[in-house]
Structures are given as C-alpha cells and as structure tokens.
Amino acid sequence: MEFLASGKWILTGEHAVLRGHPAIVFPLPHFYVKLSYTDSGLALLGDSLIKPLKNTLMKGCAILGKSLNAITGDFLIEGNIPLGFGLGSSAALCHVVGQWFLYKGWVQREQLFEFCCRLEDVFHGCSSGLDILGSFSTTGVYYQHDRDPTPIQQTWKPLICLSLLSVPKDTSKAIEIVRHLNEQNPTLGQQIDHKMHHATDMAKDALSLDKQDGLPLLAASLNQACDCFYDWGLVNQPLYDAMQALRGHSPLAIKPTGAGLGGSVISLWAEHPPAIDGLIPLF
C-alpha cells in the first residue's frame, strides 16, 4: 500500500496566520513524500524507523490512545522535499502518516485534516494547519483559522519562481522572534500582522483580476509581505544576500516563503525569468 502527499509553498500570510489572519498556500506537487506499507503481521521494530516517522507514528498513537505495539508491518518512506526550506516536508510526512491511520480504520475521513494538524505539533509545537492544508489541496487556498478554507479564484498564472537558499530556515527561532516582538511591543506586532493581512487580501484580489490589472497589484502585495519579514527581524544575512542577488535581475517582487531566517524565497517576474541556476517555476 502506498500513500502520497505533496509539498506546499506560501504566497503570503506567514506568521500572522498564527494570530488569526489569513494566508494563501499552494500545493507543490513536484515535491512529495511517499510512504509504502506492507502489512507483514510482524511487530514494528521501532529502531528501524527514521526518527521523524517514528515520532509521528508515536504521536498518532498517543492521540488515539493506542500503544505503538499495535503497529505491525514494514514501512518505507521516500521523497524529494528538501528539509528545512519551508516547502512542507513535515506536513507531507504527517499527511501520509495520517492516510495510513485512515487506511487502518483508526481515523475517519472527516477527522483526517484535524488529525494531521495534531500530528504536525510534533514539529512546530502548535500547527496553524496552513502547511497541512497546502499538502491536502490541489489548488491555491485562502486560509484563516476557524473559517472554511476558500479556493483561490485564479484567472491567470503569474511567473513566480522558487529559489532555495544555501542555509535552511530556523522555524522555531523565527517563531520565537515574532512571539517576543509581540510580547514586548504588541502595538507594533499588531501593525505588522495587519500589514501582512492586507498583503494577503491584495494577493487574493490580484489573482482574480486579469493579468494587466493583477500583475502590478500582486507585485505590490509581495513587496509589502516582504517588508513584514524585515519588520519582524527575520531577514538574516544569507536571506538578504539571496534577495539582493535576485534583485540584480530586475524581478517585480521578491519575498521569503515560509518562516524566514533562511530557507527559500519566491520571485515574481514580468516576462520569462532569466536563466538562473536553481530557479524553479511554480506555475
């Protein structure tokens, strides 16, 4: 039996989504995690599993009140999502493990999304659900906590590319920096969150317009969202250098995608982007 889940990338809304503001997430289907399972009936040998898979299975058992000894069989996990670059590797892992629990009949289909979010707490402490939603989706989604996700009404395909930095992101440190800022200066924290909220709404509107009107609005949205990362203090030297290098090729906009402090950036182009090593088209 095989279970497959895609990666994700975030257009706008990072960090602010944790405090009830919206974000836009897209699936990244050419990056994936695949879990293969054979029900051999033999007891699971925990030491034979890679630690993230074992921890996720253990979390699932804890949620459901089951013993890890209830899991039997052989697991093989593979994929091509680079770890630590904000592309949803942990969410995809939680998604395939959640599918396995669904296959076993221990979770109902209507419970699967929430169950996978709880699994992801292993990696991020308290999952916003955004990355899991990206892995579940087939289109872009506008997401806000406690509201039904809304598919993006996309009428054109912007030339957005992904660039992986040489330094992985530090999600826990980035979250802590933003949390500390909000505690020390809640007024400033709220201002940045609302700025990101506005950027997300601009991006949503831009994608629903025609290209002529939508392109400049989307550029303004991404540049404003990028400003939020500077405001939070999440643009370290490797991230700054990567964005500066891209700016030399005259994109319309650049912003980090994911937590910041390394990881990945996205760039928006008016025409076909230049031939730069490592530039990955997203549409």
Side-chain angles (χ1 to χ4, degrees):
M1 195 70 184
E2 291 183 350
F3 310 97
L4 191 69
S6 75
K8 61 82 196 179
W9 63 278
I10 298 172
L11 183 66
T12 55
E14 295 95 337
H15 293 289
V17 71
L18 292 169
R19 288 171 295 282
H21 296 277
I24 296 174
V25 64
F26 283 85
L28 195 58
H30 47 282
F31 285 107
Y32 68 91
V33 168
K34 182 170 72 172
L35 180 66
S36 302
Y37 172 71
T38 303
D39 190 357
S40 63
L42 299 176
L44 176 70
L45 298 177
D47 291 342
S48 69
L49 295 177
I50 63 169
K51 187 175 180 180
L53 176 57
K54 181 180 179 181
N55 288 347
T56 310
L57 287 167
M58 289 175 64
K59 176 69 173 181
C61 288
I63 292 170
L64 299 172
K66 293 184 176 293
S67 167
L68 191 63
N69 295 330
I71 299 177
T72 60
D74 299 312
F75 293 84
L76 173 65
I77 191 157
E78 53 191 310
N80 64 351
I81 304 178
L83 302 180
F85 288 88
L87 303 181
S89 56
S90 61
L93 173 61
C94 293
H95 189 183
V96 293
V97 170
Q99 290 178 62
W100 181 83
F101 277 95
L102 177 67
Y103 163 75
K104 294 292 287 185
W106 296 349
V107 171
Q108 301 303 308
R109 184 164 298 278
E110 62 271 17
Q111 301 171 319
L112 183 59
F113 176 78
E114 183 61 34
F115 181 71
C116 291
C117 290
R118 294 186 66 185
L119 292 180
E120 202 189 18
D121 291 346
V122 168
F123 300 93
H124 298 312
C126 183
S127 170
S128 70
L130 183 65
D131 290 4
I132 297 292
L133 181 63
S135 181
F136 270 61
S137 301
T138 57
T139 62
V141 179
Y142 180 93
Y143 173 75
Q144 195 166 1
H145 186 62
D146 288 339
R147 300 187 185 183
D148 290 336
T150 305
I152 293 295
Q153 301 302 312
Q154 189 172 343
T155 57
W156 60 290
K157 292 184 178 181
L159 293 171
I160 297 179
C161 294
L162 175 74
S163 302
L164 275 62
L165 278 60
S166 59
V167 178
K169 64 182 174 61
D170 189 335
T171 299
S172 59
K173 183 177 180 180
I175 291 173
E176 176 59 24
I177 287 173
V178 176
R179 185 193 65 78
H180 182 75
L181 184 149
N182 277 278
E183 286 183 354
Q184 297 300 310
N185 193 337
T187 299
L188 176 60
Q190 289 174 13
Q191 289 173 350
I192 302 171
D193 282 351
H194 284 292
K195 188 187 210 178
M196 182 63 89
H197 188 139
H198 183 236
T200 300
D201 284 343
M202 280 198 295
K204 179 186 177 185
D205 291 342
L207 292 171
S208 69
L209 301 172
D210 58 34
K211 180 178 179 180
Q212 181 176 350
D213 295 327
L215 183 59
L217 185 60
L218 183 59
S221 162
L222 296 184
N223 283 320
Q224 180 167 306
C226 184
D227 287 345
C228 295
F229 281 86
Y230 281 101
D231 295 340
W232 281 317
L234 299 179
V235 179
N236 56 5
Q237 196 63 47
L239 185 51
Y240 176 81
D241 291 344
M243 291 195 292
Q244 286 299 103
L246 279 173
R247 284 193 177 99
H249 297 278
S250 301
L252 297 176
I254 305 171
K255 70 170 284 288
T257 181
L261 298 180
S264 305
V265 299
I266 55 174
S267 50
L268 173 67
W269 306 84
E271 303 296 337
H272 291 292
I276 303 173
D277 287 344
L279 209 59
I280 304 170
L282 291 173
F283 290 110

